[in-house]
């Protein structure tokens, strides 16, 4: 008799952004005359930079000729891309990372969900609360937690690190020492950032307790403050306790192209085993590599032209963030984020729940955001807006909200 993975049955409802899409589609169908502005999902809107388009065209042309055609990519990714990553993202920042410690993939979301496969099911997992749902949900699917606790609105057996306004939306060391610690900075959803000194304390904590930090640096391109690290490997000792996840989606607009990478230093060992070798085995077995043309596009991100063009794109999104932040402040909202990240985190007004405010904005302003409670218990009473819309739509959305 066929059985199913009953861990999936622990998950309440559908994935957060699937639920939002269903609600928005239902509203649009009922009100076809409404022009909805979407500032909910973190999807980019600017077209790919010219340097990237040029690289894609050139690579496509190569695929049309036998002498330059490429089939399966190397397990770790092409050397030309991994070498560019090492130089620009690590060595130029003083971090000791080698090309064979880079694993090229189809995006950080896939890697953040898949990385847990190399760890035992008896590991205790700690996540921030609020948190990007993939970290928690994939560990639930694997069977690393107990059932969903409807009273607490979280999962038994998972360690939640509350990120509150009074602690700057930064997690504190949990009472119970975890084995796996998920950190995302600059943070999704709160938009907060962590200083190098603060991150160093987490690295020291992990090394002291034998924990592994899974560090999501998907938004590092948006960092504007000098004391905020772009990589966890800027901290001393990180090579023996940290795995870093990176994405090309937000820094280069690859949400529809798909490219990312994971870094696992060779010194990182647990249970007497190299985590690098485990991930290499998993990667080689379950993944056939990002397409050649996409990896050539990734290489163009690090070209002089690509750097200049993408810096302008990021500045455009951060201009939107400033419009959102300042507009909401002027309207009387309590707001944070928007300085080192393209997300603005605001308190819902009066006694509205996160989903009440979602419905309120959708119905009264035709603006879509993301309810904070969708990111965890401590996200209740908060709401996330993204800066990834066009400038015109962003300005209009904030104008609509201010008029409510």
């Amino acid at each position: 008799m066929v059985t199913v993975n009953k861990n999936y049955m622990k998950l309440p409802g559908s994935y957060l952004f699937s639920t939002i899409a269903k609600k928005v589609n239902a509203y649009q169908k009922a009100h076809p005359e409404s022009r909805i502005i979407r500032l909910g999902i973190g999807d980019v809107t600017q077209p790919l930079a010219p340097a990237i388009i040029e690289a894609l065209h050139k690579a496509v042309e190569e695929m049309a000729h036998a002498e330059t055609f490429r089939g399966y990519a190397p397990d770790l990714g092409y050397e030309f891309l991994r070498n560019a990553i090492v130089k620009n993202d690590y060595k130029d920042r003083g971090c000791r990372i080698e090309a064979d410690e880079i694993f090229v993939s189809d995006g950080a979301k896939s890697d953040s969900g898949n990385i847990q496969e190399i760890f035992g099911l008896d590991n205790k997992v700690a996540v921030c609360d609020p948190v990007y749902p993939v970290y928690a949900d994939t560990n639930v699917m694997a069977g690393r937690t107990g059932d969903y606790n409807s009273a607490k609105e979280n999962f038994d057996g998972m360690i939640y690190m509350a990120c509150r306004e009074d602690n700057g939306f930064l997690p504190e060391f949990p009472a119970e020492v975890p084995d796996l610690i998920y950190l995302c900075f600059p943070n999704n959803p709160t938009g907060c950032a962590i200083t190098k000194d603060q991150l160093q304390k987490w690295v020291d904590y992990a090394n002291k307790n034998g924990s592994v930090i899974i560090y999501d640096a998907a938004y590092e391109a948006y960092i504007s403050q000098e004391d905020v690290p772009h990589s966890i490997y800027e901290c001393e000792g990180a090579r023996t306790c940290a795995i870093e996840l990176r994405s090309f989606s937000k820094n280069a607009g690859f949400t529809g192209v798909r490219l990312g990478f994971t870094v696992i230093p060779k010194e990182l060992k647990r249970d007497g085993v190299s985590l690098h070798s485990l991930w290499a085995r998993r990667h080689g077995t379950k993944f056939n590599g990002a397409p050649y043309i996409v990896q050539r596009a990734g290489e163009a991100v690090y070209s002089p032209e690509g750097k200049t063009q993408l810096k302008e794109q990021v500045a455009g999104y951060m201009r939107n963030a400033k419009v959102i932040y300042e507009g909401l402040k002027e309207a009387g909202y309590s707001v944070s984020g928007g300085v080192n990240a393209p997300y603005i985190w605001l308190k819902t007004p009066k006694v509205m729940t996160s989903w009440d405010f979602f419905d309120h904005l959708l119905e009264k302003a035709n603006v879509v955001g993301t309810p904070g409670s969708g990111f965890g218990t401590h996200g209740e009473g908060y709401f996330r807006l993204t800066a990834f819309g066009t400038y015109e739509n962003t300005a209009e959305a904030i104008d609509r909200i201010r008029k409510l």
Side-chain angles (χ1 to χ4, degrees):
M1 173 180 158
V2 174
T3 60
V4 300
N5 181 352
K6 291 185 170 55
N7 292 308
Y8 278 70
M9 310 304 291
K10 299 175 184 177
L11 296 167
S14 60
Y15 182 58
L16 171 62
F17 296 105
S18 299
T19 301
I20 290 173
K22 289 176 183 177
K23 289 176 73 74
V24 173
N25 290 339
Y27 181 85
Q28 186 76 83
K29 186 175 181 180
H31 303 84
E33 75 286 355
S34 297
R35 193 176 77 83
I36 296 173
I37 299 177
R38 301 170 190 253
L39 301 180
I41 192 169
D43 195 3
V44 296
T45 53
Q46 295 185 53
L48 294 173
I52 294 169
I53 291 295
E54 183 180 350
L56 283 168
H57 280 303
K58 183 178 178 181
V60 167
E61 184 61 29
E62 288 181 54
M63 297 296 277
H65 305 281
E67 60 272 19
T68 52
F69 174 80
R70 306 290 181 108
Y72 290 126
D75 279 359
L76 300 185
Y78 286 101
E79 282 194 19
F80 60 75
L81 176 57
R82 290 186 286 116
N83 288 335
I85 290 169
V86 166
K87 180 187 183 302
N88 292 275
D89 288 332
Y90 296 104
K91 289 191 175 178
D92 285 357
R93 295 193 179 279
C95 304
R96 184 169 65 87
I97 296 295
E98 302 301 327
D100 60 358
E101 295 174 325
I102 305 284
F103 296 83
V104 176
S105 71
D106 61 353
K109 181 178 182 180
S110 299
D111 286 353
S112 64
N114 294 331
I115 194 68
Q116 51 80 26
E117 288 189 24
I118 66 173
F119 297 100
L121 294 182
D122 55 348
N123 284 294
K124 282 283 186 178
V125 177
V127 296
C128 294
D129 182 3
V131 67
Y132 180 47
V134 173
Y135 310 149
D137 288 1
T138 53
N139 278 285
V140 173
M141 293 171 177
R144 233 172 246 109
T145 71
D147 292 329
Y148 182 73
N149 189 319
S150 56
K152 295 182 178 180
E153 296 185 323
N154 58 29
F155 292 94
D156 293 333
M158 185 170 284
I159 299 170
Y160 291 92
M161 302 179 292
C163 298
R164 303 184 181 88
E165 185 178 9
D166 59 12
N167 65 5
F169 298 108
L170 294 176
E172 297 175 351
F173 299 131
E176 181 182 4
V177 175
D179 299 302
L180 305 179
I181 304 168
Y182 286 79
L183 297 178
C184 172
F185 291 107
N187 185 255
N188 176 18
T190 66
C192 72
I194 193 169
T195 66
K196 183 177 178 179
D197 288 343
Q198 290 168 328
L199 185 57
Q200 183 67 59
K201 292 177 181 177
W202 279 99
V203 169
D204 295 342
Y205 174 88
N207 278 322
K208 177 183 176 181
N209 292 288
S211 307
V212 172
I213 296 173
I214 299 172
Y215 192 77
D216 187 346
Y219 301 95
E220 62 82 25
Y222 294 84
I223 293 171
S224 62
Q225 296 176 319
E226 290 187 4
D227 62 342
V228 175
H230 290 254
S231 168
I232 195 170
Y233 300 116
E234 294 177 42
C235 296
E236 185 178 351
R239 286 182 59 86
T240 56
C241 70
I243 294 171
E244 185 163 282
L245 312 176
R246 289 287 192 104
S247 170
F248 285 78
S249 288
K250 305 306 192 294
N251 69 326
F254 279 34
T255 54
V257 179
R258 307 309 306 152
L259 189 66
F261 62 90
T262 288
V263 184
I264 305 185
K266 296 191 198 72
E267 287 100 308
L268 181 49
K269 298 179 180 180
R270 291 296 183 270
D271 203 15
V273 178
S274 163
L275 299 188
H276 180 280
S277 66
L278 293 184
W279 185 244
R281 187 68 171 89
R282 191 268 172 206
H283 203 65
T285 301
K286 292 191 173 185
F287 185 63
N288 262 337
Y292 170 72
I293 60 174
V294 173
Q295 293 196 47
R296 280 297 186 191
E299 180 188 31
V301 168
Y302 300 103
S303 68
E305 300 81 7
K307 287 180 179 180
T308 298
Q309 293 162 8
L310 293 176
K311 187 175 181 180
E312 292 173 357
Q313 285 197 355
V314 168
Y317 290 130
M318 292 310 289
R319 178 190 181 197
N320 292 348
K322 186 176 181 181
V323 167
I324 298 171
Y325 184 96
E326 293 182 351
L328 292 176
K329 273 280 190 183
E330 291 172 6
Y333 288 91
S334 175
V335 190
S336 60
V339 176
N340 295 294
Y343 295 121
I344 289 79
W345 190 243
L346 63 135
K347 277 188 177 179
T348 57
K350 300 177 182 177
V351 293
M352 280 191 184
T353 68
S354 297
W355 279 105
D356 285 343
F357 191 61
F358 174 90
D359 292 333
H360 178 68
L361 282 191
L362 179 59
E363 294 167 8
K364 303 300 182 183
N366 294 158
V367 173
V368 177
T370 307
S373 60
F375 297 103
T377 304
H378 287 91
E380 180 56 80
Y382 290 90
F383 201 78
R384 191 193 77 174
L385 292 175
T386 84
F388 287 120
T390 65
Y391 176 79
E392 293 75 18
N393 280 349
T394 300
E396 181 178 344
I398 298 308
D399 186 55
R400 293 182 189 178
I401 293 173
R402 292 175 65 175
K403 290 177 179 177
L404 291 178

